[in-house]
Every structure is written in structure tokens, then in C-alpha cells.
Amino acid sequence: MNNNLSIEEQLLVNFEVAKKGKNIVLAYVLAIFVGILGIHRFYLGRKGSAIAMLIIGLFSFGLITGVWVIVDLFLIPGIVKENNAVIEAELTNEIIASREQN
């Protein structure tokens, strides 16, 4: 969290990240139940690899993408953290820029 923000601004950023960010539990649920089709990757914003998983999953009946899902189970926390950090940085920059304009 940026130390240049007031407590109220930090709370606003945290609220917006919770609202706009990705949820790790939902990502895991999607990966576990429909992961062989890449649905969790669509949710996480990884559209290119999601489309690849969908196509490969349909043609291999999930045999190949099943291994991919197991790997993704370890990658999901980092993907969610990265996504939420980007949102947090954007919001922080917006607040600082709007403060400088006033």
C-alpha cells in the first residue's frame, strides 16, 4: 500500500480492489470443476491460454488439460495477486493524480 495515501484513501482503494479484483476462492472453484475447459483462465483474464485450453480440452476430452489444471492450481494465487496489484496501483495513481489537480 502506498504511504502517500490517507487512511480514507487506503480504505477506498482496498474496497475497490475487493470489488473489482479477482477472488482466489472463485478461481479455485472454477479450476476444480470446469478447469479442463479453461473457464478459470477466462475469469482470471488470461484469454489466450483460456481459448487454447478450451480447444485442447474439447479435442482431448480433458486428458491433456487435466495436467494443465493441476499446474494452474499452484499458479492461481500468483495470478490473482498480480491482477489485484495492478488494480491497486491504477487506483492509487488515479487518487494521487486527482489530488494533484485540486
Side-chain angles (χ1 to χ4, degrees):
M1 181 60 58
N2 192 324
N3 291 332
N4 296 331
L5 299 180
S6 69
I7 300 283
E8 294 83 15
E9 291 169 335
Q10 290 176 5
L11 288 172
L12 176 64
V13 168
N14 288 341
F15 175 76
E16 289 296 319
V17 168
K19 190 170 90 172
K20 295 178 181 178
K22 302 301 180 189
N23 183 306
I24 193 166
V25 174
L26 179 56
Y28 272 119
V29 168
L30 291 171
I32 291 167
F33 291 105
V34 287
I36 60 171
L37 298 176
I39 305 304
H40 63 292
R41 284 193 161 260
F42 280 109
Y43 170 71
L44 293 170
R46 306 286 173 111
K47 290 183 178 92
S49 59
I51 291 169
M53 275 187 93
L54 180 61
I55 293 169
I56 294 168
L58 289 174
F59 286 109
S60 72
F61 303 106
L63 296 174
I64 296 171
T65 54
V67 175
W68 195 342
V69 171
I70 292 169
V71 172
D72 276 355
L73 292 175
F74 293 97
L75 297 178
I76 286 173
I79 295 170
V80 169
K81 184 176 180 179
E82 176 185 319
N83 180 280
N84 292 349
V86 167
I87 294 170
E88 181 180 343
E90 289 172 354
L91 292 168
T92 301
N93 290 337
E94 285 178 23
I95 289 172
I96 291 172
S98 69
R99 190 189 314 149
E100 290 173 355
Q101 289 178 351
N102 295 331

